[in-house]
């Protein structure tokens, strides 16, 4: 119970810091621009754009939520050390793992809040085009939120080994270029069977965020839901990969001289 209270307090601090930095306001502005753009297209009589609007809205939702989750995760630990706010926290009965895990939960909370706000804005924009709600959209949102957990864990791990700027840059490059990088590693493994184990190992270390993005499926009309076993498999992968990233983060953070 005591650890839960510690994690809750640390996570709440991350959310409040995000509000203070006006990150949530940035999300609101982006969403408002999305609604205004959709309204303008509808006003000028662009009909038959339901599929286009749906695909664009889900792409905007995916891209901006990933960027915000990365920024929130990469800056937490470096900022705590730079501003020297880490010392009074660790001086209390708060272990380094509790500190790290609480901050991780806070990053997830910020990313989910931002995603929810953007999702509401995108939903209003899609309603302007007469796009009806389908259950696949709810499944898309659930899987995307699981993917954001992966993003937070990966970005936090990089921030413990690299500077804030380097961690942010590398995270964004690997997250948005993961599909291309994985495709290249697969081709390299096929071309060099003797080194296939190395390319496969590197592929397994990269976050497979593309698995959680059902945007291409949800953008179409009247598509069926993804089978439940697939969602369960994604949940298992999210849990295992996030735990591995947290373990790497803690292994580095607990040895760090502060």
């Amino acid at each position: 119970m005591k650890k839960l209270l510690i994690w809750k307090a640390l996570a709440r601090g991350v959310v409040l810091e995000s509000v203070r930095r006006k990150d949530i306001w940035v999300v609101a502005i982006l969403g408002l621009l999305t609604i205004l753009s959709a309204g303008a297209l509808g006003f000028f009589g662009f009909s038959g754009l339901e599929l286009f609007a749906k695909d664009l809205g889900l792409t905007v939702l995916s891209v901006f939520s990933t960027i915000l989750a990365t920024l929130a995760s990469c800056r937490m630990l470096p900022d705590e050390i730079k501003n020297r706010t880490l010392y009074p926290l660790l001086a209390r009965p708060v272990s380094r793992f509790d500190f790290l895990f609480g901050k991780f939960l806070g990053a997830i909370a910020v990313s989910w809040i931002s995603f929810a706000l953007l999702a509401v804005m995108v939903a209003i924009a899609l309603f302007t085009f007469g796009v009806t709600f389908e259950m696949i959209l709810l499944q898309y949102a659930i899987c995307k939120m699981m993917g954001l957990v992966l993003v937070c864990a990966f970005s936090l791990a990089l921030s413990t080994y690299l500077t804030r700027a380097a961690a942010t840059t590398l995270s964004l490059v690997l997250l948005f270029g993961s599909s291309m990088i994985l495709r290249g590693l697969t081709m390299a493994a096929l071309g060099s069977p003797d080194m296939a184990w190395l390319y496969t190992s590197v592929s397994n270390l990269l976050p497979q965020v593309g698995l959680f993005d059902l945007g291409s499926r949800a953008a179409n009309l009247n598509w069926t839901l993804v089978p439940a076993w697939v969602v369960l498999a994604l949940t298992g992968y999210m849990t295992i990969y996030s735990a591995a990233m947290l373990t790497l983060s803690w292994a580095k953070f607990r040895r760090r001289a502060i």
Side-chain angles (χ1 to χ4, degrees):
M1 180 62 69
K2 184 177 179 180
K3 285 185 175 295
L4 290 177
L5 293 176
I6 293 174
W7 296 341
K8 180 180 178 181
L10 290 170
R12 182 173 178 271
V14 174
V15 175
L16 293 177
E17 179 65 16
S18 179
V19 173
R20 187 186 68 82
R21 289 174 175 268
K22 298 181 175 57
D23 293 344
I24 306 299
W25 292 109
V26 172
V27 174
I29 292 173
L30 291 174
L32 181 60
L33 291 175
T34 302
I35 294 176
L36 293 177
S37 300
L41 289 175
F43 177 78
F44 287 109
F46 283 77
S47 59
L49 295 179
E50 292 82 2
L51 290 179
F52 169 76
K54 199 174 183 182
D55 183 53
L56 179 61
L58 294 180
T59 300
V60 169
L61 181 58
S62 177
V63 170
F64 283 119
S65 61
T66 300
I67 292 176
L68 290 168
T70 301
L71 294 177
S73 303
C74 285
R75 75 182 178 208
M76 291 186 302
L77 187 58
D79 283 1
E80 290 281 0
I81 296 175
K82 179 181 178 180
N83 298 330
R84 305 180 69 85
T85 53
L86 176 65
Y87 304 103
L89 288 174
L90 294 181
R92 300 177 181 180
V94 177
S95 68
R96 296 197 179 194
F97 175 79
D98 290 335
F99 173 82
L100 205 62
F101 190 68
K103 291 293 183 178
F104 171 62
L105 294 180
I108 294 175
V110 170
S111 64
W112 282 4
I113 292 172
S114 301
F115 178 81
L117 290 175
L118 277 174
V120 171
M121 300 292 184
V122 169
I124 296 174
L126 292 180
F127 180 76
T128 304
F129 283 92
V131 177
T132 58
F133 174 79
E134 296 176 308
M135 287 303 296
I136 186 65
L137 291 174
L138 178 60
Q139 195 175 54
Y140 161 82
I142 293 174
C143 290
K144 186 61 184 178
M145 291 173 73
M146 289 196 296
L148 291 176
V149 175
L150 211 69
V151 172
C152 291
F154 180 72
S155 301
L156 178 61
L158 287 183
S159 71
T160 59
Y161 289 87
L162 304 173
T163 63
R164 172 182 171 179
T168 302
T169 302
L170 187 58
S171 295
L172 292 175
V173 169
L174 292 179
L175 289 171
F176 286 107
S178 59
S179 59
M180 182 176 62
I181 295 172
L182 291 172
R183 193 178 302 114
L185 291 172
T186 302
M187 294 177 61
L190 293 175
S192 304
D194 295 337
M195 298 294 293
W197 64 271
L198 177 60
Y199 298 124
T200 302
S201 300
V202 175
S203 299
N204 292 333
L205 289 176
L206 293 176
Q208 313 289 328
V209 290
L211 297 176
F212 298 86
D213 193 349
L214 305 181
S216 58
R217 187 183 185 93
N220 293 279
L221 298 177
N222 302 319
W223 274 53
T224 58
L225 296 175
V226 174
W229 70 266
V230 175
V231 179
L232 290 176
L234 290 176
T235 303
Y237 173 70
M238 175 201 71
T239 304
I240 295 173
Y241 190 89
S242 298
M245 290 296 102
L246 280 176
T247 301
L248 289 175
S249 303
W250 178 70
K252 175 67 175 179
F253 185 54
R254 71 187 182 94
R255 297 195 308 267
R256 182 166 185 165
I258 297 177

